[in-house]
Amino acid sequence: MMATKTQPFDLSAHLQTDENIREFLDIMLEENGAEGFEQALVHVAKAKGMANLLPAHSTLSQLPLSVIDQIIHALGLRLSVRLAS
């Protein structure tokens, strides 16, 4: 029997369109709160080649909202508030 070769899954490789990225961030925030949004933003930054914008040894929750907003804008997105459905 031949052994199956596997590779680590890299989520950032699947974040290719701006709409796909927006939906991913929105869903992660909605379903997983701030922690999920932080994880998603790391994957998005990596996908866009912008991982250097993120802090190396801290979490995004330790950053001021203004810095997170700058990162979001550098990704071509913007933060917004909407009514809960």
Side-chain angles (χ1 to χ4, degrees), residues 5-6 33-34 41 56-57 65 70 74 76-77 85:
K5 237 182 167 178
T6 62
L41 195 54
H57 301 293
L65 183 57
Q70 289 174 355
L77 301 169
S85 48

Side-chain angles (χ1 to χ4, degrees), residues 38-53:
E38 287 179 31
Q39 293 171 1
L41 195 54
V42 169
H43 288 292
V44 170
K46 184 177 175 186
K48 291 286 203 172
M50 303 170 85
N52 61 323
L53 292 176

Side-chain angles (χ1 to χ4, degrees), residues 5-70:
K5 237 182 167 178
T6 62
Q7 296 179 8
F9 180 74
D10 183 5
L11 178 63
S12 62
H14 300 278
L15 299 171
Q16 298 178 1
T17 67
D18 291 340
E19 183 60 22
N20 184 267
I21 288 169
R22 187 204 60 76
E23 287 178 3
F24 176 61
L25 289 170
D26 193 44
I27 290 169
M28 289 295 287
L29 179 59
E30 181 72 26
E31 294 183 2
N32 303 293
E35 185 176 314
F37 183 76
E38 287 179 31
Q39 293 171 1
L41 195 54
V42 169
H43 288 292
V44 170
K46 184 177 175 186
K48 291 286 203 172
M50 303 170 85
N52 61 323
L53 292 176
L54 302 174
H57 301 293
S58 63
T59 64
L60 295 177
S61 62
Q62 295 172 331
L63 294 177
L65 183 57
S66 60
V67 173
I68 294 172
D69 186 53
Q70 289 174 355

